[in-house]
Amino acid sequence: MRLILFGPPGAGKGTQAEAISETFSLPHIATGDIFRNNVKNETDLGRQAKKYMDKGELVPDDVVIAMVKERISRGDAADGFLLDGFPRTVSQAEALDEALSADGTSVDAVLRLLVDDEELTARMLKRAEEQGRSDDTREVVETRLRVYRDETEPLVDRYRRQGVLHEIDGKGSIDAVRERVLETIRDLEQPA
Ligand code: AMP
C-alpha cells in the first residue's frame, strides 16, 4: 500500500502515522522528521532547510522532491510506504505521481485528517510547551497554517478527482482517531 497521511500542521499526522506504520508494517516517511534530523546533525541539507523551517515556510520543491524520490527508491519502500508531510504543493504531488507511474505504481489512498482551526492552534501551542519545537510559536504557527491553506489544501481536489481521497474525523482523543484511521485502511485492504 502506498499511503499519504494528509492534513494541516497539528492535525496529529505524526502520532497517527506511527500507529499506521506499525500496524501495517509500512515505512513511515516524514519529511519534517528527515529535515529535523538533518538540522540536528548539521548537514548541508539541514542548513538549507532550517531557514525556511524557522519561519514556517516550505523548503523549496526541488530539494524536497529529490529527497523523497531517493527515500522511496530504497528497498524497504518497494512494496509500500506511508508519506507524512509530503506532498505539500502541486509540484510535489505531480513529481510523486510521475515517479510512481514510472515504476508502474500509484498512490493507493490519501487519508485526510479533518480538524478545525481552533483545535489545531491549541494543539500546536501545547506541543510547543511539551516538545519545545522552535516552529511551534504563535507567529510561526499562523504562517504554517496559512501556507497549508494556500499551497497544500488545493491538493485535496486533485486526490478527490483521482478517487483516492478518504476523509477522517480528526477530532477527539488520539485513541478514537486511531481507530477511525486504522478502520479506513482495513477497508482499503478488504473492500466491503
Ligand atoms: P512538519 O513536521 O511536517 O510540520 O514539517 C516541518 C517543516 O519542515 C515545515 O514547516 C517545512 O518548513 C518543512 N517541510 C516538511 N515537509 C515539507 C514539504 N513536503 N515541502 C516543503 N517543506 C517541508
Side-chain angles (χ1 to χ4, degrees), residues 31-32 36 53 57-59 64 85-86 88 92 133 144:
T31 45
R36 277 185 290 279
M53 296 171 77
E57 293 169 3
L58 295 181
V59 177
V64 189
F86 181 94
R88 264 174 149 104
Q92 291 179 17
R133 256 179 70 162
R144 291 167 67 210

Side-chain angles (χ1 to χ4, degrees), residues 107-120:
V107 172
D108 293 304
V110 175
L111 309 160
R112 179 189 189 195
L113 294 178
L114 298 169
V115 182
D116 59 53
D117 273 4
E118 218 173 298
E119 185 156 344
L120 286 180

Side-chain angles (χ1 to χ4, degrees), residues 13 24 31 52 55 59 68-69 84 87 90 92 118 150 175-176 187:
K13 296 191 296 296
F24 298 96
T31 45
Y52 299 98
K55 288 188 277 187
V59 177
V68 171
K69 276 189 176 173
D84 162 7
V90 172
Q92 291 179 17
E118 218 173 298
D150 294 349
D175 286 357
D187 285 349

